[in-house]
Amino acid sequence: MAKSVYQLKCSCNNYPWGKTGSDSLAARLCAETPGTDFKIDESKDYAEMWMGTYPELPSYVLETGENLQDVIDANAEQLIGKAVLEKFGHSDLPFLPKVLSIAKALPLQLHPNKELAAKLHEKDPSNFTDPNHKPEIALALGPFEAFCGFKPLASIYRLLELEPLQQFLPKNKESSFTDKSLKAVVKAMLEASDEVVAKTNNSLQRLPIEAFGDDQYILDLLPRLSEQYDKSDNGTLVALITMNYMQLNKGDSIYIPADGIHAYLSGDIIECMARSNNVLNTGFCPRAERNSIDMFTSVLTFTPHNIEEALLKPEQFALSTSKGKTLLYAPPMSEFNMISTELVEGEKETIEKIAGPSILIVTQGKGEMKVGEESFTLAEGFVFFIGQGVETSFQASGHLQMFRAFVE
Ligand SMILES: [Zn+2]
């Protein structure tokens, strides 16, 4: 019988929107792994720490250096469990948790649905590395700003009536402003030339603040985004005029469905997604890196359509024996759920058997985890793979914060 718990060695990528050097929580957490060869280079940007078995940046078993997926494949029934194996038809870990440290806007993006992902993967496997959809959740570890989904139609229309934006309204005006009209507006904004975007942004900046009604943040964010990218970046218009701007705090979470438009702006977050790395980008990145605007707008979903709908509310976790120390974030889909556990010094928690694999990361504090007769030291940045069907108990020896992604 294989072991049930493996401490992992993870790594971080260097996308240019990441925080620099030790400012990046993702990099700091990676560097905390005992005996790791990961060293922070203070001149580099560190964006995403990946935990799991996606081939681009896989995790390794700390003790033996084996690729985690190889260990899972060799012991699939024990570690993943029959039910999960049957559900997905393979022993690849079906979810991918990450820690993101965001210094500036990520590309304005969506992750294609299963049907489009399968098509793109077949045509262009080097850019679309798998046929799967990629719904995701983002959980704030502190202050977190994000653009997520669309504002209510009435709010968007009110902004479009501002003189500099009227050019983006559909020409053959229909009787009411619908999602179909919104799609045309997004397309027009994405197709606008550098000159038109820059000119529009300049004109918006000259409007009095009252002109923006409830959306006065636009005047603060416009120069900020223009500095991060450029006044001519099409993403600025789409994000500021049509999308929900959300300021979240520790413990808040958002859910992005497949085909959902989003762009994260700043903060440290835990993210979890279905096993996929497919993305369509259309703004907040150089023109050469943008995907087809037609494809992007053709699959756009109009959910969520307000801030409330974008939030993913946590609930009590049924397999927790404590009261209120472990919360469940369950997105409306099947690939994964996430739990967060927070314990103050001396507090204990037991999580009963979960009928599928999980990955646990300690983001703060220290303590101990017991699984059967074995005990494991918990400290900031420690990451574990936990096989299905084992009870795990925890005791904090300092304020302890952990996140655990799992599937059942
Ligand atoms: Zn995304």
Side-chain angles (χ1 to χ4, degrees):
M1 203 134 120
K3 291 185 196 172
S4 294
V5 178
Y6 299 85
Q7 188 168 0
L8 303 178
K9 192 171 76 130
C10 304
S11 207
C12 211
N13 63 29
N14 304 99
Y15 297 148
W17 49 259
K19 292 188 183 173
T20 308
S22 331
D23 280 349
S24 167
L25 176 68
R28 290 203 308 275
L29 292 175
C30 268
E32 289 296 339
T33 306
T36 183
D37 45 10
F38 180 91
K39 291 267 176 309
I40 300 178
D41 175 343
E42 294 300 339
S43 68
K44 275 191 176 167
D45 299 326
Y46 293 95
E48 303 181 332
M49 172 192 195
W50 288 24
M51 297 164 276
T53 64
Y54 201 81
E56 195 177 302
L57 204 61
S59 303
Y60 297 91
V61 174
L62 184 60
E63 198 180 5
T64 61
E66 290 164 283
N67 186 311
L68 173 62
Q69 188 64 58
D70 293 341
V71 175
I72 295 176
D73 289 343
N75 307 280
E77 252 191 63
Q78 185 202 330
L79 297 178
I80 299 266
K82 250 196 167 131
V84 174
L85 278 172
E86 272 166 25
K87 185 166 167 184
F88 295 98
H90 55 71
S91 56
D92 294 344
L93 211 56
F95 54 86
L96 176 61
K98 300 176 180 177
V99 175
L100 269 59
S101 287
I102 305 158
K104 62 177 196 170
L106 271 70
L108 180 68
Q109 59 188 265
L110 66 75
H111 307 293
N113 61 62
K114 269 186 183 159
E115 196 189 335
L116 177 62
K119 263 194 229 160
L120 292 171
H121 176 64
E122 203 184 299
K123 266 207 304 215
D124 185 5
S126 60
N127 280 317
F128 299 95
T129 45
D130 43 337
N132 201 11
H133 67 165
K134 184 189 164 188
E136 64 190 24
I137 63 169
L139 229 151
L141 293 171
F144 168 45
E145 290 174 290
F147 296 106
C148 172
F150 292 107
K151 297 186 216 273
L153 287 169
S155 313
I156 299 170
Y157 190 75
R158 205 184 41 72
L159 289 169
L160 289 169
E161 286 182 315
L162 293 173
E163 198 276 325
L165 296 169
Q166 287 171 10
Q167 57 181 317
F168 299 109
L169 278 168
K171 294 280 171 299
N172 35 3
K173 223 174 146 197
E174 288 169 46
S175 50
S176 57
F177 189 71
T178 61
D179 283 340
K180 198 172 148 226
S181 340
L182 173 57
K183 188 186 272 198
V185 169
V186 171
K187 193 159 182 279
M189 286 177 167
L190 290 173
E191 282 171 347
S193 68
D194 285 2
E195 296 70 42
V196 167
V197 177
K199 202 174 152 217
T200 306
N201 284 334
N202 283 332
S203 309
L204 284 174
Q205 204 123 47
R206 283 195 293 268
L207 292 177
I209 190 156
E210 310 80 63
F212 293 91
D214 293 337
D215 296 315
Q216 298 187 351
Y217 66 84
I218 291 175
L219 276 188
D220 292 326
L221 287 184
L222 194 53
R224 200 169 133 203
L225 287 168
S226 303
E227 196 181 313
Q228 288 183 3
Y229 290 92
D230 193 90
K231 224 167 216 166
S232 65
D233 193 299
N234 305 60
T236 315
L237 279 176
V238 176
L240 292 177
I241 305 304
T242 72
M243 295 172 68
N244 297 307
Y245 166 61
M246 301 179 69
Q247 290 176 297
L248 303 168
N249 294 306
K250 187 182 162 189
D252 292 340
S253 175
I254 53 178
Y255 165 62
I256 317 276
D259 300 331
I261 188 167
H262 60 289
Y264 302 151
L265 186 52
S266 76
D268 295 317
I269 62 171
I270 298 276
E271 200 187 38
C272 193
M273 59 205 61
R275 183 189 181 85
S276 169
N277 197 29
N278 292 331
V279 62
L280 300 178
N281 294 329
T282 58
F284 302 142
C285 60
R287 274 192 187 269
E289 289 169 23
R290 297 184 197 168
N291 295 98
S292 145
I293 293 168
D294 282 337
M295 186 160 50
F296 188 90
T297 45
S298 70
V299 292
L300 260 187
T301 175
F302 296 94
T303 315
H305 224 319
N306 59 54
I307 282 182
E308 194 59 25
E309 214 182 341
L311 290 170
L312 177 65
K313 299 263 164 63
E315 51 195 274
Q316 291 296 325
F317 185 47
L319 297 177
S320 145
T321 58
S322 77
K323 279 202 179 67
K325 298 189 177 84
T326 297
L327 295 175
L328 170 71
Y329 295 81
M333 39 162 289
S334 58
E335 272 96 341
F336 66 86
N337 285 324
M338 175 79 83
I339 51 177
S340 77
T341 301
E342 198 156 356
L343 304 174
V344 299
E345 188 169 349
E347 272 186 332
K348 291 180 179 177
E349 168 70 300
T350 296
I351 304 293
E352 290 167 21
K353 294 175 182 178
I354 293 178
S358 52
I359 285 192
L360 175 137
I361 177 167
V362 180
T363 50
Q364 201 189 313
K366 48 191 176 175
E368 191 186 31
M369 169 169 70
K370 279 209 165 113
V371 182
E373 295 300 300
E374 268 201 289
S375 103
F376 301 84
T377 301
L378 300 178
E380 209 166 291
F382 284 25
V383 181
F384 298 89
F385 171 83
I386 303 171
Q388 62 83 30
V390 294
E391 186 179 279
T392 45
S393 355
F394 302 89
Q395 178 158 17
S397 49
H399 195 120
L400 184 66
Q401 186 183 43
M402 306 176 286
F403 295 88
R404 181 167 171 183
F406 67 95
V407 65
E408 277 188 311

